[in-house]
Amino acid sequence: MRIIKVNAIDSTSSFVKKFYEGTANFEPVCVRAITQTAGRGQRGSNWMSKAGENLTFSILYPQKKLSISKHFMLSATVSLAVVRVLDDIGVPELKVKWPNDILSAKKKIGGILIENIVRTEGIVASVIGIGLNVNQTEFNNLPNAGSLKSVTNKNFDLDELLENLIIRIERDLEALPFISTTELLEMYAQNMFRINVVSTFNFNEQKLNGIIRGVTTEGKLNLEIEDGVFKTFDLKEIQLLY
């Protein structure tokens, strides 16, 4: 995969889209920014990152065998790839907070935002944006934020970590068309934050208690809200509270 490093841009995801030429026949490309002035997160939030201490990058990836119905399988694959790389380097208590925030020791250390380019034949390319807090240790007014350094007391080489992430993500995405959906959803569920325990959610500006039992193939959250009563919610409907 080609890697392009830039000093400062508004958004790596916006920038990497410029390399899309209208077909799925292209080499994957990764853009990493030292400083990102308008990084985006889930629900329209901004991704704040201290320059030179963290990883902010986006991958433009061709999709030749991915139907629109499998968009969440892509998200789950990338989330699990990041978790596996971090686990290999000793980051503790890793979990995925639905749909794709990366937590360690209950602190948010990373986030993933995926945008798909869709044509009549399905998803032809994906823009995979990843923000990972690495060596930053101060997070003003963000009590739930953390970093690899804050949870391990170690410094990490950003270039080496980026290379490991890209290798794993690319390998897992190449295998995605051949993996069982059921198997992938089970692996994702096993790594979910607060799976199978009573949790509190924000639903229609009110608090709702429920137990996370997994996700559907469309990526909706499957909650048990009463004994034996299940309901699914999409990202815009409900928010898990810490």
Side-chain angles (χ1 to χ4, degrees):
M1 184 183 302
R2 184 161 49 124
I3 300 175
I4 299 171
K5 297 179 182 180
V6 295
N7 285 326
I9 53 175
D10 55 353
S11 163
T12 56
S13 289
S14 298
F15 186 84
V16 82
K17 282 181 185 177
K18 298 175 183 179
F19 292 91
Y20 177 66
E21 297 181 348
T23 73
N25 297 313
F26 62 88
E27 177 189 359
V29 58
C30 172
V31 172
R32 175 197 166 193
I34 302 301
T35 302
Q36 190 176 230
T37 59
R40 290 171 290 165
Q42 292 287 358
R43 304 177 193 268
S45 63
N46 290 331
W47 179 264
M48 305 304 294
S49 178
K50 193 170 181 180
E53 296 187 359
N54 306 306
L55 282 178
T56 51
F57 64 99
S58 293
I59 297 169
L60 178 67
Y61 190 84
Q63 301 286 2
K64 299 178 182 179
K65 298 180 181 179
L66 189 66
S67 66
I68 296 174
S69 63
K70 288 194 171 184
H71 68 92
F72 182 72
M73 300 302 102
L74 170 67
S75 177
T77 297
V78 175
S79 297
L80 291 173
V82 172
V83 165
R84 286 163 180 151
V85 170
L86 298 183
D87 183 61
D88 286 344
I89 60 174
V91 180
E93 300 178 60
L94 288 160
K95 293 293 179 182
V96 180
K97 181 173 178 281
W98 176 79
N100 45 23
D101 283 344
I102 308 300
L103 307 187
S104 171
K106 299 182 180 180
K107 296 290 187 180
K108 180 176 177 179
I109 59 171
I112 300 164
L113 183 64
I114 298 177
E115 302 172 72
N116 292 308
I117 300 172
V118 179
R119 297 292 183 264
T120 54
E121 61 269 33
I123 299 172
V124 294
S126 299
V127 178
I128 303 164
I130 298 176
L132 191 64
N133 296 330
V134 183
N135 294 320
Q136 182 175 343
T137 55
E138 295 182 0
F139 301 92
N140 296 331
N141 301 316
L142 294 172
N144 296 319
S147 68
L148 304 193
K149 184 175 181 177
S150 72
V151 298
T152 65
N153 293 316
K154 299 177 183 177
N155 276 305
F156 293 86
D157 183 288
L158 296 179
D159 290 328
E160 181 180 353
L161 180 57
L162 176 64
E163 182 178 359
N164 290 339
L165 286 166
I166 287 174
I167 290 172
R168 183 75 200 215
I169 290 170
E170 189 168 19
R171 188 177 78 183
D172 289 358
L173 288 179
E174 287 174 353
L176 176 57
F178 312 103
I179 291 179
S180 159
T181 297
T182 300
E183 180 183 353
L184 182 56
L185 289 177
E186 287 177 352
M187 287 190 293
Y188 180 86
Q190 289 169 7
N191 287 274
M192 288 183 75
F193 179 58
R194 299 197 63 80
I195 185 77
N196 297 328
V197 296
V198 177
S199 302
T200 303
F201 301 83
N202 182 11
F203 176 63
N204 288 336
E205 304 302 325
Q206 295 182 343
K207 289 185 178 180
L208 170 71
N209 290 330
I211 303 174
I212 297 174
R213 296 302 191 191
V215 289
T216 69
T217 55
E218 296 83 19
K220 291 185 178 182
L221 189 67
N222 189 15
L223 284 189
E224 184 176 356
I225 55 177
E226 297 178 35
D227 287 343
V229 178
F230 294 83
K231 188 173 181 180
T232 59
F233 300 86
D234 68 26
L235 179 62
K236 296 179 181 179
E237 291 180 308
I238 198 166
Q239 182 179 13
L240 174 61
L241 303 175
Y242 280 90

